[in-house]
Amino acid sequence: MSPGPCESPMRPQPYVVRGVRRETHDVFTLELEPAGDAAPLAFGPGQFTMLYAFGMGEVPISISGDPAGNTMLVHTIRAVGTVTRALERCRKGDVLGVRGPFGTCWPVDEAAGKDVVLAAGGIGLAPLRSVMYRLLARRERYGRIALLYGTRTPEDIVYRDELEEWRGRLDLNVQVTVDRAGSDWRGNVGAVTTLLPRAEFDPANTVAMFCGPEVMMRFTMLALMKRGLQAEQMYLSMERNMKCGIGLCGHCQLGPFFICKDGPVFPYDRVKWLFGREEI
Amino acid sequence: MTTVNGDMTEQLHDKRTVVIEPAGLDRLIEVLSRQGYEVVGPTLRDGAIIYDRLASTADLPVGWTDEQGPGTYRLRRRGDNALFGYAVGPHSWKKFLFPPALTLWRARQAGESFEMEAETAAEPRYVFFGVRPCELQAMEIQDRVFMKGAHIDPSYRSRRENIFVVAVNCGHAGGTCFCVSMQTGPRATFGHDLALTEVVGNGSHYFVVETGSGAGAEILDDIPHREARDEEIAAADRLLCDTAGRMSRELETNGIRDLLYRNYENPRWDDVAGRCLTCANCTFVCPTCFCHTVEDVTDLDGRHAERRRPWDFCFTADFSYLHGGSVRSSAKSRYRQWMTHKLAAWIDQFGTSGCVGCGRCITWCPVGIDITEEARAIRESER
């Protein structure tokens, strides 16, 4: 999916904001369309773009929409810094800059014929939502599908309508948990790992994908390995500071890897020797 | 001029070895300037030899040499009129090809949208006059970073493709040099249009000049020269042999990639962190360090924006900042990142070491941290 050598890889292309949706108090989703008659962005699940707010700066954001020919480029963003807060102020009709897509994809095709376990922490659900769209578009290709999602509080649950819709399906196992909740919460409380016993899969024939805080991914992997999964069946999305997205600025290095081009999605056995080391 | 795939050009021309007198080099500068090149090379400034514009050989540090050691750099008189009787200083050619500050583009607001301004004008055409063999390798390494991956830096490429390279073989080993260990010197073997060896002493002063490209051979037509005699070539060879024998340092590169990957938790990193000031001097002076950041700025009314690309340094806390904090918050982790990247990860990323043995990081480290010594300490800890 990655583009070939590009003459001006640092120049953003203009995209028009077509939709703004508030997910939680600090998370929002933007739907973007190329300005003019530019073709919609082709991308694979797991890839990201660099989103530019005019004059404010640029941030790497995972694509969270449907990879299958949708004209909209969808990004779910948490407002935590100067640029993401500027993006939060966007309204329909505003124009943003987009570079990309960059990076590697989730192994959606490799998972055909297998059980699939997706585990997401917080906003890590965003890139895995693209995977869900792909899985559901060809549901018959896959075995059992489990989506395990943990977030801080019930108020921090993103894509709530979709999660509830998926949870209502008989061919999906969707589990949600929160770290803490008020007395009005009737759902699960606890780390994502507490949901794992509810996921049924054949360890010999399963692909697992994780996106979330490193500590969440580490414990999820440990738990799945206890259930018989091997390192090469597990994929994770890594995160580091990124400035260019094209493997030139050096910021996103993890050992020999540039997360922006060798990742963000890695097979676990490729980064196992670095994963969990402090300050790498 | 040397092309990016320089090897081809180098093989295709009839290689010649000639002798040029010092005055001939002035003619060379003159001819190249007249062709529209900006000639840049070593010159004295503020007690150091740096790279800047040259109008003639009089701008070179004639008769000067340097004394270098860990954390030390001093100039002194040589007692002759050598034009190139010193090692590398704090600058490297990367400042011309990968400038410390560059504006990538400008844009202006237009209603709800913005308009990108057209690409800027052509980049300058440089003559790099006095490139050391280790620096040729450094340029080759940065070529791999900026021109040979999936994404290309167009500014770097247009600068790089238009340079004319006059290399100078090293008749003087600097006090922190280890090019022999890195197999990058003291003789230039690729990547130049002309390569000079300066022979000075016993009342004679001449340059043995080897052509490295068709453009290099062609320009000889305009420069007074004669075919080199065997004894002149032999004298130049002896000089380079002597330099190779006078390396002040050694870096054992055998298996170094795996060595460093095995030693992320070596206590030596704590030891070096006790000395390292995380000042990033080593990355400023390193001819291969390529990290940079991207800054988006506006003018006061916010209607004009531009994107800038200044150098950045893995020794700052900000470099690895991720929502909530810095991934590499300790000095230990930053020095480890720099050295492991330079000597190990670079091999995976670009198929070459990131170190050329120029010794700059040792000389310009304010506390004299020596990369060869740090690598040796880690190797010896495994014995």
Side-chain angles (χ1 to χ4, degrees), chain A residues 5 7-8 10-11 52 54-55 57-58 94-95 239 241 243 248-249 251 253 256 258 277-280, chain B residues 105 112 117 119 145 150 154 157 265 290-292 307 312 319 321 323 328-330 333 336 341 349:
Chain A
E7 283 306 306
S8 301
M10 292 304 289
R11 291 169 77 89
Y52 171 64
F54 182 81
E58 213 177 34
D94 287 353
V95 174
E239 190 180 13
N241 185 309
K243 294 293 184 192
L248 297 185
C249 79
H251 281 255
Q253 288 178 81
F258 292 100
R277 266 190 212 287
E278 277 179 32
E279 298 194 273
I280 287 287
Chain B
W105 49 256
E112 303 292 292
E117 289 180 13
E119 303 265 0
V145 177
R157 182 173 60 187
E265 311 302 335
F290 60 84
C291 288
H292 55 264
R307 174 162 295 171
D312 204 0
F319 187 86
Y321 184 85
H323 45 82
R328 297 184 202 104
S329 56
S330 69
S333 67
R336 178 179 68 183
H341 182 216
Q349 294 168 349

Side-chain angles (χ1 to χ4, degrees), chain A residues 114-133:
Chain A
K114 297 176 177 165
D115 293 342
V116 180
V117 176
L118 307 179
I123 195 132
L125 184 56
L128 286 174
R129 186 170 74 159
S130 297
V131 174
M132 280 298 283
Y133 290 138

Side-chain angles (χ1 to χ4, degrees), chain B residues 17-266:
Chain B
T17 305
V18 302
V19 161
I20 294 181
E21 303 292 330
L25 292 189
D26 276 315
R27 176 77 185 148
L28 178 61
I29 292 176
E30 199 188 308
V31 169
L32 287 164
S33 301
R34 216 180 305 133
Q35 291 179 7
Y37 283 107
E38 184 176 341
V39 181
V40 290
T43 192
L44 286 181
R45 186 79 41 83
D46 301 328
I49 294 168
I50 57 132
Y51 295 151
D52 205 347
R53 202 162 187 154
L54 302 178
S56 73
T57 56
D59 290 336
L60 292 168
V62 183
W64 288 93
T65 191
D66 49 34
E67 287 175 348
Q68 302 195 34
T72 314
Y73 180 94
R74 291 288 180 276
L75 296 181
R76 67 168 179 82
R77 284 282 178 189
R78 280 174 58 94
D80 62 19
N81 283 327
L83 304 186
F84 297 101
Y86 40 83
V88 293
H91 284 193
S92 71
W93 307 95
K94 84 173 177 185
K95 76 171 199 172
F96 300 108
L97 298 174
F98 165 52
L102 183 71
T103 297
L104 295 175
W105 49 256
R106 292 186 173 82
R108 62 180 172 278
Q109 212 164 36
E112 303 292 292
S113 185
F114 60 87
E115 280 168 12
M116 304 287 292
E117 289 180 13
E119 303 265 0
T120 45
E123 308 288 0
R125 290 170 70 214
Y126 290 115
V127 173
F128 287 179
F129 197 85
V131 183
R132 301 297 179 166
C134 62
E135 301 185 299
L136 293 174
Q137 174 65 16
M139 283 157 56
E140 149 74 16
I141 290 172
Q142 285 213 328
D143 288 352
R144 293 185 190 213
V145 177
F146 290 117
M147 293 169 44
K148 299 194 177 166
H151 294 282
I152 286 161
D153 172 10
S155 156
Y156 181 93
R157 182 173 60 187
S158 68
R159 288 159 194 258
R160 179 69 171 99
E161 285 179 341
N162 286 314
I163 54 172
F164 186 97
V165 176
V166 180
V168 174
N169 293 323
C170 292
H172 163 80
T176 53
C177 289
F178 55 103
C179 66
V180 169
S181 296
M182 304 315 292
Q183 298 179 306
T184 63
R187 178 195 285 275
T189 56
F190 67 92
H192 55 270
D193 295 292
L194 295 172
L196 323 179
T197 306
E198 181 174 33
V199 182
V200 60
N202 298 329
S204 61
H205 189 184
Y206 60 89
F207 294 86
V208 175
V209 179
E210 289 170 284
T211 59
S213 72
E218 216 168 276
I219 206 149
L220 286 182
D221 295 345
D222 295 320
I223 316 294
H225 66 276
R226 58 176 172 76
E227 291 308 311
R229 292 191 291 266
D230 288 348
E231 64 269 27
E232 290 167 330
I233 296 173
D237 286 349
R238 261 198 315 278
L239 209 59
L240 302 186
C241 223
D242 285 353
T243 306
R246 274 195 236 109
M247 289 290 117
S248 67
R249 282 166 168 68
E250 234 180 286
L251 178 68
E252 172 59 64
T253 57
N254 191 25
I256 196 161
R257 168 182 166 273
D258 294 343
L259 173 78
L260 291 174
Y261 284 164
R262 275 197 306 274
N263 279 281
Y264 273 111
E265 311 302 335
N266 195 295

